[in-house]
Amino acid sequence: MIRIPFLANASSLLRPRILFALGLLGVAVVCLGIQFGALHDWKERPDFYVKGVPLLTTADGYFYLRHSFAHGRGTFDRQDRFEFSGAYQPQSVPPVSLLASTLRKALGLPLETVAFYLPPALAILTLIPFAFMARTFASRGAALAAALALCAGVSFMTRSAFGRFDTDCLNLFFFCACCLCCHGFSTDFGRRRLAWLAGWATLCALSWMWWERGALAFVALSVATWAASVFLRTSRMERALKVAVCVLGVVGLVGLLFGLHRYLPHAAAAFGQTVLRHVDLVLNRTVSQFEVLGNEISELKPLTVWELGRAAAGHWVCLAVGLIGAVWLAVRRPVVAWFLVLPSLALGGMGLAANRFAMFLTPGFALGVAWLVDRALHAPMPRRLPDGRCARAAGAVVLVVALVAPGAWACVEKSPRPRFTQGDVRLAAVLGSRPYRGEVVWCFWDQGYFIQYMTDRPTFIDGGSQGHWRNLVSCVPFATPDPVLARHWINYFATRGWAGMNRLGKRIPDMNHRVAFLRRVFSAPTRADEILRENGFRDVAFWREWLFPAKPRKTYLYLSQDMIFRSWWYLLGSMGAPGAPATPPPTVIVHRNAGGLNATGDAVVVSDKVFALTRLVRFDRAGVHVKEKRPGAPYVALDYGDRPLYVIEREVNDSLAAQLLFNKPGTVPGFRGIVYHPSLGGLWEVL
């Protein structure tokens, strides 16, 4: 008899573990297919590419891209110039930057291409620990269904989509792996507990290297879950340790809430203050009229229950069904639910306060789906059915498709978009082509990382230093209608840095009064001595030279055309000034089939609403054409030809940003044009 090795070993290929691994690989392929499906219209958008290389879809990606580029060039240790923005500069190359730089060398691809395609490839690693989480209580088929349900998490998929070169892609991996190790350590026996503990410690260390803030949350949640599990049968020593950790945790939390951390050593006090500030930012709790940053950052915006359902599971009905399964699991397997489901509900539930946490609710939903599928596969069937196993499997498949399809479709439908356009790259490249001679770039905070990467120059603010007062300081020049105030304001902070604000604090402790003082003195430089004396400054000559440096640092002002449609900068920059708005002034978008200009061109008509125009600004290939209409009218219309009409408030139109972008781009005193395009924006040197 002839023995064929392949046929002899064929039975091994059918082993359950191998089939499970192949099934998990199939789920990974489906996950990547959903991500590729979201790029369905990118081939039709050449403006999403620069020289054939796709653009990133998140502003923070350019922070990691800059470090990756510096590592590849061997200049990572020579980036001191970027400390001017006030942001924390890592002492070692961020892991995601290091990985991208290494892959670029190995594959020979452009760095931007590697950064664009890397996030989904890393995100599918989350399927491994999550599948083992589901296997602790469900069959292999149900675990695969849970892994597929994980791919229906809109927040998880969009935050790890192509082009989102950030740490989000592996955050859920570390979360699931830490929960799994915590469960194993708490429920296993013998030496295997030490293995689980070692795995948990290793994962905590790796997550700290990957994303420090996330590591703090994962460690705290894991320890709290373990310490609160006093209901488990353990040794007296371990139970006493759990009680001690619980007591210390409660005391620490109470002390933090009452501000007692201020009496601790400096390092501990600083850590406690950082935690409180981050919580205040996430929960939108502000301590002054200026601190509205939590409303401005999209990932910190709160979600409604319905929005949270869509973000975590594709639809609130799907989330509700999955949570029903999670509750059922908690009733039948309380220990499993305590360690694997409860942390997901706790952290994911914070999505009601900030949508960045919505992705952590998806594992709880998917584990609920796993339990429902597992029960469906073991449900009793009527005797008259010839093959109950097939009927159960068919029912489970229908259930999975019904719960996963809405989320998968939402992921495909929500196509990612580049955060910065081809035009932004062209503008920044003009400055990037010039040798660096100590200049600084003044821009809006979410443009900081992009400008730093494209121009190799520091910015006054970026995504790492934005916050409260620094954000206000950066926006004042954009929002003010006074070019004199804007020029002196920029020159002062570009030369003195944030020390310029801190030094004034010794004379004017209240920050509100400090900002008002600077507004006043920079808008009337000829009256500087008088204003200084009125505010109690004795050494007038010294302070005049300090406020108006004889040789200010060379500064470029960067403005993109789309800033005029995102009015947070106007709200922040106007706060404390007379007549400041309480909310961001809205931009009304008028589509051509829904409204337009009236016959005389002095008003925009939309249904029953009429926006009276004081000015009409038209953009074409020849440039910008400004036509005065009704004097004193409250609105200004921007006409880009074949694009929709944009209606903005007159006060926004009077700002320096509007003056430079379309009202008088080449004639604003104190600002010399370097490059300007009506549809893109421009770059100006501050004189």
Side-chain angles (χ1 to χ4, degrees):
M1 180 176 180
I2 300 176
R3 179 181 176 85
I4 302 177
F6 175 78
L7 294 179
N9 296 327
S11 60
S12 64
L13 297 176
L14 301 178
R15 290 177 180 175
R17 292 181 179 179
I18 296 178
L19 289 177
F20 179 68
L22 292 176
L24 199 59
L25 182 61
V27 173
V29 172
V30 171
C31 181
L32 288 177
I34 294 174
Q35 296 285 26
F36 274 108
L39 302 178
H40 53 83
D41 61 341
W42 275 59
K43 290 183 178 180
E44 303 169 2
R45 298 296 301 269
D47 55 318
F48 288 0
Y49 299 82
V50 174
K51 297 180 180 179
V53 177
L55 293 167
L56 299 185
T57 60
T58 175
D60 288 349
Y62 290 95
F63 169 81
Y64 297 103
L65 203 59
R66 173 167 63 84
H67 288 302
S68 186
F69 180 75
H71 173 263
R73 195 172 52 176
T75 59
F76 177 79
D77 297 331
R78 298 191 294 276
Q79 299 189 92
D80 296 343
R81 69 183 69 166
F82 297 105
E83 295 178 358
F84 179 76
S85 69
Y88 166 75
Q89 298 298 323
Q91 300 302 308
S92 58
V93 184
V96 67
S97 302
L98 180 62
L99 183 58
S101 177
T102 304
L103 288 175
R104 182 195 68 81
K105 293 179 181 178
L107 301 176
L109 296 173
L111 179 61
E112 293 84 353
T113 300
V114 174
F116 183 84
Y117 289 104
L118 182 61
L122 294 177
I124 60 175
L125 296 176
T126 307
L127 298 175
I128 299 174
F130 182 75
F132 284 104
M133 288 173 66
R135 281 290 292 131
T136 58
F137 63 88
S139 63
R140 292 183 175 87
L144 293 177
L148 194 60
L150 192 70
C151 299
V154 177
S155 180
F156 168 59
M157 295 291 281
T158 55
R159 296 183 76 84
S160 57
F162 287 111
R164 197 171 180 92
F165 187 53
D166 203 343
T167 57
D168 289 334
C169 55
L170 276 186
N171 287 339
L172 203 59
F173 166 84
F174 287 114
F175 172 75
C176 292
C178 285
C179 290
L180 180 64
C181 289
C182 185
H183 171 264
F185 172 74
S186 302
T187 59
D188 217 330
F189 303 96
R191 295 182 178 179
R192 288 181 298 184
R193 296 194 70 195
L194 297 178
W196 286 114
L197 181 61
W200 176 82
T202 302
L203 287 166
C204 289
L206 291 175
S207 63
W208 178 268
M209 295 170 58
W210 185 259
W211 184 45
E212 294 180 5
R213 294 180 181 178
L216 289 174
F218 304 155
V219 171
L221 201 56
S222 299
V223 173
T225 305
W226 167 79
S229 62
V230 292
F231 54 85
L232 291 178
R233 292 183 178 180
T234 56
S235 65
R236 291 183 179 180
M237 182 179 295
E238 184 173 348
R239 181 165 297 180
L241 185 60
K242 288 182 178 181
V243 173
V245 171
C246 288
V247 172
L248 288 175
V250 172
V251 171
L253 184 61
V254 172
L256 200 61
L257 293 177
F258 284 93
L260 300 181
H261 62 283
R262 291 174 294 182
Y263 301 101
L264 297 175
H266 177 73
F271 175 77
Q273 193 61 31
T274 300
V275 172
L276 283 181
R277 286 178 179 174
H278 190 66
V279 171
D280 286 341
L281 188 63
V282 168
L283 298 181
N284 267 338
R285 298 191 310 184
T286 58
V287 298
S288 81
Q289 60 174 326
F290 293 121
E291 299 178 0
V292 294
L293 187 61
N295 290 318
E296 180 192 355
I297 304 175
S298 60
E299 67 179 18
L300 296 183
K301 291 181 179 179
L303 300 176
T304 65
V305 174
W306 323 115
E307 291 171 338
L308 181 60
R310 175 179 172 81
H315 197 278
W316 68 267
V317 173
C318 299
L319 178 62
V321 174
L323 293 183
I324 290 173
V327 172
W328 188 4
L329 172 63
V331 173
R332 299 292 299 273
R333 303 286 296 273
V335 175
V336 171
W338 177 266
F339 287 101
L340 302 184
V341 177
L342 185 61
S344 173
L345 300 183
L347 196 57
M350 291 182 64
L352 296 172
N355 67 13
R356 72 184 307 173
F357 296 104
M359 64 187 292
F360 296 102
L361 186 58
T362 302
F365 153 76
L367 290 176
V369 172
W371 180 256
L372 292 176
V373 171
D374 188 73
R375 293 302 88 197
L377 291 174
H378 294 86
M381 301 298 296
R383 293 182 177 179
R384 61 173 177 257
L385 290 178
D387 193 348
R389 182 179 297 179
C390 292
R392 294 189 192 99
V397 169
V398 171
L399 177 63
V400 172
V401 171
L403 294 178
V404 172
W409 177 252
C411 294
V412 173
E413 193 177 36
K414 194 173 183 179
S415 179
R417 290 291 183 266
R419 173 57 190 87
F420 299 101
T421 65
Q422 197 178 79
D424 294 319
V425 174
R426 290 166 57 188
L427 284 178
V430 173
L431 186 56
S433 63
R434 301 184 175 192
Y436 173 68
R437 292 190 174 89
E439 311 94 343
V440 64
V441 182
W442 197 280
C443 59
F444 193 49
W445 71 264
D446 67 346
Q447 299 169 333
Y449 289 148
F450 170 76
I451 296 296
Q452 292 170 8
Y453 174 70
M454 296 301 302
T455 69
D456 200 28
R457 285 165 170 78
T459 58
F460 175 75
I461 193 171
D462 56 35
S465 62
Q466 46 81 15
H468 306 329
W469 297 104
R470 196 177 191 107
N471 219 335
L472 178 143
V473 167
S474 70
C475 290
V476 165
F478 300 140
T480 180
D482 184 3
V484 175
L485 166 61
R487 180 169 68 90
H488 289 299
W489 186 285
I490 292 174
N491 283 335
Y492 175 69
F493 283 103
T495 305
R496 307 302 184 192
W498 196 247
M501 185 65 81
N502 294 334
R503 187 160 191 169
L504 283 174
K506 298 178 181 179
R507 296 300 182 97
I508 309 177
D510 184 78
M511 185 67 86
N512 295 343
H513 295 162
R514 229 178 296 171
V515 171
F517 164 77
L518 290 175
R519 285 183 184 275
R520 187 181 176 199
V521 73
F522 287 146
S523 61
T526 57
R527 297 180 54 240
D529 291 2
E530 175 187 345
I531 296 172
L532 285 167
R533 292 190 183 95
E534 289 178 1
N535 286 270
F537 290 84
R538 296 180 180 178
D539 192 349
V540 174
F542 168 79
W543 283 103
R544 187 195 323 112
E545 193 280 331
W546 174 260
L547 292 170
F548 300 93
K551 294 182 178 180
R553 185 175 184 178
K554 192 172 185 179
T555 308
Y556 293 102
L557 181 67
Y558 177 93
L559 286 173
S560 56
Q561 190 64 246
D562 66 340
M563 271 192 67
I564 212 66
F565 314 131
R566 300 180 292 125
S567 51
W568 274 107
W569 57 268
Y570 185 80
L571 173 66
L572 290 165
S574 301
M575 285 185 169
T583 58
T587 298
V588 181
I589 302 176
V590 183
H591 295 278
R592 300 292 176 172
N593 57 357
L597 294 168
N598 61 2
T600 58
D602 60 357
V604 173
V605 181
V606 185
S607 300
D608 57 342
K609 294 183 179 180
V610 178
F611 299 91
L613 303 180
T614 184
R615 185 174 296 164
L616 174 63
V617 183
R618 293 185 183 274
F619 298 83
D620 57 30
R621 293 183 178 180
V624 184
H625 311 279
V626 180
K627 295 183 179 180
E628 301 296 333
K629 296 297 180 180
R630 303 183 190 180
Y635 297 102
V636 174
L638 310 178
D639 185 0
Y640 288 87
D642 57 346
R643 291 164 57 183
L645 281 170
Y646 296 91
V647 180
I648 61 175
E649 295 185 359
R650 182 182 58 194
E651 290 75 15
V652 177
N653 178 74
D654 293 338
S655 67
L656 178 76
Q659 293 180 42
L660 291 173
L661 284 173
F662 47 79
N663 285 334
K664 39 186 177 180
T667 59
V668 177
F671 296 86
R672 183 174 65 88
I674 302 298
V675 60
Y676 173 76
H677 190 283
S679 299
L680 304 179
L683 191 69
W684 292 264
E685 180 183 349
V686 183
L687 303 178

